[in-house]
Amino acid sequence: QQYTLPTFVSKGGRIVLAYNGSYDDLKQQLYNALVRQVWETQLQDDNLEAQAKGTTKPTSKSSKNDIPDWYKEGAIRYLGNGWTITDEDMLRNSFMQNHFSSYQQVLAYEPKLAGLAFCYFLTERYMPTTVAQTFTQFKKKKSLTRVIRLVTKRTLDTLYNQCFNYYSLRFKTDTSVKQASAVSGFTMPHRKGIVRNILISPAQDQVAYVDYYNNTRTVYVYDTILHKTHKIVSYKLAPWIDDHSRDQYPLLQWHSGGQLFVAMPVKGKIQIRRYTTDGDLLETTKLFGVDGLTDMQPEDNNNFVLAAYRKGQGDLVRYNDLKEKYTPFTDDSWDDSYPVLTGTKNGGELYFVSDRPKKNGPRIYLIGVGYKKDTLYQGIYHLKAGQLQPVAIDSVNYVKWDKPVAIPNDELLVTHTKYGIERFAVLDPFTSKVTTLEPSRPYQYLSGPGQIAFYKSGKDSVSVSEEPLHDWMERTKITKSDTTSPWQLDYRKRALRQAKEDSILNKARDTTHTFLEQVLKAKPKKKKAAIKDSTDNSVIYDPKKTGAYILQLHSAYFTAKVNNDYFINRYQPYQSNQGEFKFPELGAMAQGGFTDVLENHHFTVAYRIPSATDGSLFFVKYENTTKKVDWGLSYFRDVETLQPDPNRNWVDENGNTYPNTAKVKTHYYELFFKDPINYDCAFGLETAVRQDATIFLATDKRSLDFAPYLSNWSITTLSYTMNKLHPTLPFLFKGIYVKAMVDGFKGFSQEGPALFGSTVDVAYHQPLYKYITLVTQVHAGYSAGQEKILYNLGGVDNNVTPRVDSSVHFAQNAPYAFQTLVTPFRGYYQNTLYGNEFLLLNADLYFPIFKTLIPIETPLPSINNLQLGILSDVATAQETWNTDPNNKWLLSYGLSARTSLAGYPLRVDVAWPNNGKPPVWYFSLNLQ
């Protein structure tokens, strides 16, 4: 849940990218993903499969606890994409908005951006390879403080001071920044969080803004006259979105009548909602066929101009809500964004930002690959009557034109990074004249005709300043436009240094040919040499050369270990097992699997032999994850030795007592479906057929006459799961987990009984102090019908030493069809508490002793991850069908210790019952 998307590295080294239609974003994700893959695989930073399941378990000393997350993320981003103008502008913005006094405050405010800036400082202040050198040292299992000392010969605290002074002086002496405040304005309070987007209504009486806090985005409207704030809408972010500068939602736009349009994702679909300033929802427009938006301009209540990602490309379209129809302005492979409808001269005009090639411009050919690429020019483009013309373009790769806004006189107010910092510029589309203005941070929005507004976000308020647009333009006009920023100077130095290195390498490259090469290499013929461009033919698309995806399986994983897991649901037949719940025995387990390249089809095969070699377990499973709803098939076969209670009184239909030796064979066929509602929640449906046969072994002449006892059942299960657990330390989490299940059972025969059972499991994990975590759990169950389910409380999961109360004997005529074991209930033997309904409460307090109480670290992860715990269990159960129900409350308390050794989870519990009996010890292969 920390690194799942968009750069989660799965088994086999494959990478999942979240493609939003932008090739630039895709390239950036890919670079970061490749660096992250190298980082996590070579450093063995975390168990990746555990990350996907939300059970992170660091396996090496050089884990994220020793490498701070801010440095890890900063190094990955720096090695992947370097230090861009956007990054520098964001950091400059942070320094301008906040009066930092140390770099530790910068790290606390925006840790990942500050980590990226720290890596850039290291390369500029020391060596260009400093960040790569730290990675090499991390591979030797050293902490950040030790690595920094070895690489830079300075302490980490010294580097903090140097880095802070470096950026403070850099932004203070930046001659390209001459911030001029506006002349009037107001201040409005805001909720706790970070304010990023702010938009003033045309009437200048309402201010809409977006507040980011606790992984939640909320839209508020502030009334500048009544000085009141109204909440409009709020929604949770996906867990993998942690960089707010990269995700543009929600998009805000004011419209006539004081209405606010909000575009945001809802359950995987983009919606445009129209609200009043009081937060009343007036209308919802669902955009089907749209993967994402970068901008939204309402023309009226039913027509919108959208910069949308559709069919794998970013285009400008007009959408009519009544007809549900898209009319494209642009329809090509180039990314288009920030549409502006304006113009009184010569009719309506459409301007937008795009990366496009020039007509008859240069092309790059990759010979041997069959690929050609046009040189792209980034800038402002104009579209009218289907004719596309460039207005202002630039061929330098770091120059970006952005955020055009229509202003009076049919001009555009835009931002560009031509001088190494985001500056304002006034663009005349008809003459292509660009007038550069002073940069104004943090951001600008027009607050009415001829009015410019800026905002500055503080801790608990936002200051908005305004002045007439014409006055501001005259005051901020730049006369000397060739000023450069420190970032641009650094960029030119790096480019010059790289050019010199390339020149040296080219001169050192041996281009001479040996005699043998000249003999074997065919000389070009005149006819072949006369061909102007032989690569044109190789890059022409030919549908005959394409083929359908061919399913090819490869080995996904193979494991051999010892375990005693359940592999089907915990229900066991009551009659076939003669009233005895059989806990899985410890055995040697071999498990392997196959999957295709796209991981749409999963095949799993497993075989387990118990340690006593008195049975075996085998299952094969197929899972299809091609569509949103996953489905699969599984077959399970189990053979177990049944050793019934010798004091029982179970007889066959002739009244003969059953023998004491038998085997139970189980065949289980299942079809299952899983529908993920969102990232945290899912519905599941399982339908299965279960066949059990109790085969009595012949030990004497009397036992030869016993026929096998057969039972056939159909089982249907509907489940709901909500998993909002987030890992903090190994084995510890923060959040809530809920699972609810309803099971229906029906016998195959005509007289077969019908019954149902329902269970609910809720777990809440809350760190109290320095990762000392309180875990509370509630388990409840109820069954009814012609027959019922026997809920048997006692023990723990994956118990290696089961304890059973042999004084309890279940009757053959009890109205039970299935039985199950409810855990954890410590301090009492199995069978002490039972019934067809139950309630179980658990409270555990865990102390990671070497992370909190004793701040030392050993070379052994099993010692470092050792945790002690205090536990308390309380439960009750009763037989509602019994005229003399034996319902009672039982309480226990105790201690626990848990860790992992050689990849195996180990746990020891001891609990004292409240009835004065001796304590009960448990040893299990489970940490929960």
Side-chain angles (χ1 to χ4, degrees):
Q1 290 179 338
Q2 287 183 321
Y3 306 117
T4 305
L5 284 177
T7 56
F8 170 64
V9 183
S10 62
K11 290 180 180 177
R14 299 202 314 108
I15 298 170
V16 178
L17 300 176
Y19 177 57
N20 62 2
S22 171
Y23 294 113
D24 288 340
D25 291 348
L26 183 66
K27 182 177 69 173
Q28 187 180 38
Q29 288 184 47
L30 181 60
Y31 287 172
N32 286 336
L34 292 174
V35 176
R36 186 181 301 278
Q37 181 189 31
V38 173
W39 186 287
E40 294 182 347
T41 53
Q42 293 197 18
L43 293 186
Q44 297 180 349
D45 189 42
D46 283 313
N47 185 295
L48 302 178
E49 184 178 4
Q51 289 178 8
K53 297 178 180 178
T55 56
T56 308
K57 302 175 183 178
T59 57
S60 69
K61 180 180 178 181
S62 180
S63 67
K64 68 175 184 178
N65 300 311
D66 293 316
I67 307 176
D69 189 63
W70 64 264
Y71 186 84
K72 172 186 173 181
E73 293 300 319
I76 289 175
R77 296 186 184 194
Y78 183 78
L79 295 174
N81 294 283
W83 180 251
T84 64
I85 289 180
T86 304
D87 299 325
E88 176 134 341
D89 276 351
M90 290 176 60
L91 188 65
R92 180 187 289 107
N93 183 27
S94 296
F95 271 76
M96 292 176 61
Q97 290 190 41
N98 306 276
H99 301 288
F100 297 125
S101 59
S102 66
Y103 203 72
Q104 287 87 338
Q105 294 181 358
V106 185
L107 290 172
Y109 183 71
E110 288 188 280
K112 295 184 179 180
L113 176 63
L116 178 61
F118 187 79
C119 292
Y120 177 71
F121 157 75
L122 291 178
T123 58
E124 291 296 315
R125 175 64 175 79
Y126 293 94
M127 291 288 294
T129 58
T130 301
V131 179
Q133 291 178 20
T134 62
F135 174 77
T136 303
Q137 295 296 328
F138 286 143
K139 293 171 64 176
K140 299 178 181 179
K141 307 296 190 295
K142 294 182 174 65
S143 63
L144 177 63
T145 54
R146 178 64 174 163
V147 168
I148 289 295
R149 179 77 176 182
L150 291 174
V151 174
T152 65
K153 311 304 180 184
R154 300 288 188 275
T155 63
L156 187 58
D157 292 337
T158 301
L159 288 185
Y160 283 153
N161 296 331
Q162 290 182 357
C163 185
F164 181 76
N165 295 333
Y166 175 81
Y167 285 108
S168 298
L169 184 63
R170 183 184 183 94
F171 298 145
K172 182 179 180 180
T173 60
D174 192 342
T175 58
S176 63
V177 180
K178 296 178 181 179
Q179 183 71 21
S181 59
V183 295
S184 64
F186 59 89
T187 301
M188 64 177 184
H190 76 84
R191 301 295 195 273
K192 184 178 181 181
I194 300 176
V195 174
R196 292 288 190 186
N197 303 342
I198 183 170
L199 190 63
I200 304 176
S201 65
Q204 298 181 268
D205 58 344
Q206 307 284 344
V207 180
Y209 65 92
V210 180
D211 180 85
Y212 301 169
Y213 176 69
N214 195 21
N215 212 41
T216 302
R217 295 189 178 176
T218 307
V219 179
Y220 295 97
V221 169
Y222 175 73
D223 192 314
T224 60
I225 298 176
L226 301 178
H227 304 290
K228 291 184 178 180
T229 301
H230 299 280
K231 179 180 177 181
I232 303 300
V233 65
S234 177
Y235 69 96
K236 284 279 188 181
L237 290 176
W240 57 84
I241 298 179
D242 54 5
D243 186 355
H244 299 298
S245 65
R246 295 291 178 188
D247 186 70
Q248 66 273 19
Y249 301 111
L251 302 175
L252 306 179
Q253 286 293 342
W254 285 103
H255 196 44
S256 60
Q259 297 174 356
L260 180 66
F261 286 90
V262 180
M264 63 183 192
V266 179
K267 295 184 179 179
K269 297 293 183 182
I270 303 299
Q271 294 185 4
I272 299 178
R273 297 181 176 182
R274 182 159 55 96
Y275 290 92
T276 66
T277 56
D278 294 331
D280 297 329
L281 179 61
L282 299 178
E283 187 180 10
T284 299
T285 301
K286 295 183 179 180
L287 301 180
F288 297 98
V290 171
D291 300 324
L293 298 180
T294 58
D295 199 10
M296 173 261 306
Q297 300 285 340
E299 294 182 297
D300 52 47
N301 291 343
N302 302 111
N303 288 280
F304 303 90
V305 177
L306 309 174
Y309 293 124
R310 301 174 66 243
K311 302 177 181 178
Q313 61 189 35
D315 292 318
L316 304 182
V317 297
R318 175 183 280 115
Y319 178 70
N320 185 284
D321 182 27
L322 298 178
K323 298 180 180 179
E324 296 185 353
K325 180 181 179 181
Y326 295 95
T327 304
F329 293 107
T330 62
D331 189 7
D332 48 42
S333 60
W334 316 113
D335 292 337
D336 307 319
S337 59
Y338 298 108
V340 176
L341 284 174
T342 183
T344 56
K345 301 177 183 178
N346 305 322
E349 313 281 343
L350 176 64
Y351 299 93
F352 59 93
V353 179
S354 181
D355 290 332
R356 290 177 174 272
K358 280 185 177 179
K359 292 184 177 180
N360 303 320
R363 288 183 170 182
I364 301 173
Y365 294 92
L366 301 180
I367 300 176
V369 182
Y371 174 75
K372 62 182 179 181
K373 178 182 178 183
D374 294 286
T375 302
L376 299 182
Y377 295 85
Q378 217 271 356
I380 307 293
Y381 289 82
H382 169 221
L383 181 65
K384 182 179 181 182
Q387 298 296 322
L388 181 65
Q389 295 292 336
V391 177
I393 62 175
D394 205 299
S395 59
V396 183
N397 57 0
Y398 63 78
V399 176
K400 299 295 182 183
W401 297 78
D402 211 359
K403 307 179 186 71
V405 178
I407 60 177
N409 301 324
D410 288 339
E411 293 180 321
L412 296 177
L413 181 64
V414 300
T415 59
H416 67 77
T417 56
K418 188 174 182 179
Y419 304 111
I421 185 176
E422 188 171 279
R423 292 183 180 275
F424 284 141
V426 177
L427 173 63
D428 188 336
F430 302 100
T431 64
S432 297
K433 180 182 177 181
V434 178
T435 304
T436 304
L437 309 176
E438 288 291 354
S440 297
R441 277 296 201 172
Y443 202 66
Q444 61 83 22
Y445 286 93
L446 289 181
S447 58
Q451 194 81 0
I452 190 77
F454 309 91
Y455 78 89
K456 182 178 181 180
S457 178
K459 183 178 180 181
D460 53 5
S461 64
V462 176
S463 300
V464 181
S465 54
E466 306 171 289
E467 71 173 308
L469 177 63
H470 182 269
D471 296 345
W472 172 73
M473 290 170 54
E474 288 296 325
R475 184 165 55 85
T476 59
K477 187 181 298 183
I478 293 179
T479 56
K480 185 179 179 181
S481 59
D482 60 346
T483 56
T484 55
S485 68
W487 183 94
Q488 198 173 24
L489 294 175
D490 294 343
Y491 179 87
R492 292 174 180 175
K493 290 179 182 178
R494 288 194 303 271
L496 181 60
R497 183 171 62 247
Q498 186 64 44
K500 290 181 179 180
E501 292 177 359
D502 293 342
S503 177
I504 295 174
L505 292 175
N506 290 333
K507 291 180 180 179
R509 185 176 294 113
D510 186 7
T511 58
T512 60
H513 300 282
T514 65
F515 172 77
L516 187 60
E517 287 177 335
Q518 295 178 4
V519 171
L520 297 178
K521 184 178 180 180
K523 296 182 179 180
K525 297 181 179 180
K526 293 183 179 180
K527 183 177 180 181
K528 187 174 182 180
I531 299 177
K532 295 182 179 179
D533 191 356
S534 61
T535 60
D536 281 342
N537 294 329
S538 64
V539 298
I540 296 176
Y541 171 74
D542 185 2
K544 296 180 181 179
K545 295 181 180 180
T546 64
Y549 170 65
I550 300 176
L551 179 63
Q552 294 179 331
L553 300 179
H554 64 90
S555 177
Y557 57 88
F558 179 84
T559 59
K561 57 185 180 180
V562 175
N563 70 16
N564 56 347
D565 291 335
Y566 291 96
F567 287 95
I568 57 174
N569 56 29
R570 296 189 174 194
Y571 296 114
Q572 295 183 4
Y574 183 79
Q575 296 291 338
S576 296
N577 281 37
Q578 298 188 11
E580 178 181 326
F581 184 86
K582 180 70 174 179
F583 199 91
E585 294 186 11
L586 190 67
M589 182 79 181
Q591 185 173 349
F594 298 88
T595 183
D596 64 315
V597 175
L598 296 182
E599 296 189 0
N600 291 332
H601 308 273
H602 305 256
F603 296 87
T604 305
V605 180
Y607 185 75
R608 181 172 69 192
I609 301 178
S611 57
T613 66
D614 57 355
S616 63
L617 177 148
F618 168 81
F619 75 85
V620 58
K621 179 180 178 181
Y622 165 72
E623 187 174 6
N624 187 303
T625 58
T626 306
K627 305 296 183 181
K628 177 192 174 185
V629 178
D630 301 336
W631 65 274
L633 301 167
S634 63
Y635 166 71
F636 176 92
R637 178 186 181 273
D638 187 21
V639 178
E640 290 184 315
T641 298
L642 182 65
Q643 297 177 343
D645 185 357
N647 296 322
R648 79 197 187 292
N649 186 23
W650 285 51
V651 297
D652 64 359
E653 57 186 6
N654 298 320
N656 299 318
T657 303
Y658 282 122
N660 289 330
T661 306
K663 282 186 177 293
V664 179
K665 290 186 177 181
T666 301
H667 298 273
Y668 187 85
Y669 312 86
E670 182 184 65
L671 171 65
F672 59 89
F673 301 88
K674 182 181 179 181
D675 182 14
I677 307 172
N678 52 40
Y679 188 79
D680 301 311
C681 306
F683 277 114
L685 176 63
E686 301 173 2
T687 178
V689 174
R690 176 168 186 154
Q691 299 175 342
D692 294 283
T694 305
I695 303 172
F696 301 98
L697 304 181
T699 57
D700 51 30
K701 293 183 178 180
R702 185 183 67 86
S703 60
L704 285 173
D705 297 332
F706 283 90
Y709 183 87
L710 306 177
S711 65
N712 300 316
W713 291 86
S714 67
I715 306 174
T716 302
T717 303
L718 179 64
S719 63
Y720 169 78
T721 304
M722 181 183 71
N723 186 356
K724 291 184 176 293
L725 295 178
H726 301 276
T728 55
L729 284 182
F731 325 140
L732 294 178
F733 305 90
K734 177 182 179 180
I736 188 172
Y737 174 86
V738 178
K739 185 166 186 178
M741 300 178 63
V742 177
D743 302 279
F745 304 84
K746 183 67 175 71
F748 274 9
S749 61
Q750 186 175 1
E751 297 80 12
L755 64 145
F756 82 93
S758 60
T759 57
V760 176
D761 298 328
V762 180
Y764 181 70
H765 300 242
Q766 179 59 51
L768 301 179
Y769 175 73
K770 289 185 177 181
Y771 298 110
I772 297 176
T773 303
L774 175 65
V775 180
T776 56
Q777 299 183 81
V778 178
H779 311 271
Y782 174 77
S783 68
Q786 295 171 304
E787 293 188 357
K788 297 172 177 56
I789 299 173
L790 173 62
Y791 298 109
N792 201 328
L793 280 69
V796 294
D797 287 337
N798 298 93
N799 196 355
V800 180
T801 57
R803 306 294 180 88
V804 181
D805 188 351
S806 58
S807 64
V808 178
H809 310 291
F810 294 107
Q812 186 176 6
N813 59 354
Y816 291 119
F818 283 88
Q819 56 186 341
T820 184
L821 187 64
V822 179
T823 57
F825 185 54
R826 295 150 291 191
Y828 299 91
Y829 285 4
Q830 183 180 325
N831 296 348
T832 303
L833 198 61
Y834 55 87
N836 65 302
E837 66 177 17
F838 75 94
L839 177 63
L840 171 61
L841 306 176
N842 307 114
D844 297 74
L845 186 63
Y846 294 106
F847 299 84
I849 55 176
F850 291 103
K851 303 294 183 181
T852 57
L853 303 180
I854 306 176
I856 62 174
E857 188 170 356
T858 70
L860 300 176
S862 58
I863 301 298
N864 300 331
N865 296 331
L866 178 64
Q867 297 176 5
L868 302 180
I870 302 174
L871 62 91
S872 178
D873 299 338
V874 58
T876 184
Q878 68 173 342
E879 297 176 326
T880 58
W881 55 269
N882 198 335
T883 56
D884 185 20
N886 186 23
N887 59 322
K888 54 185 176 181
W889 286 88
L890 296 181
L891 172 67
S892 64
Y893 53 91
L895 304 173
S896 67
R898 60 181 186 175
T899 185
S900 62
L901 179 63
Y904 284 92
L906 303 177
R907 181 183 179 111
V908 177
D909 297 86
V910 56
W912 286 265
N914 63 345
N915 55 11
K917 293 185 177 181
V920 183
W921 289 82
Y922 302 93
F923 175 65
S924 59
L925 302 179
N926 192 290
L927 297 174
Q928 304 302 324

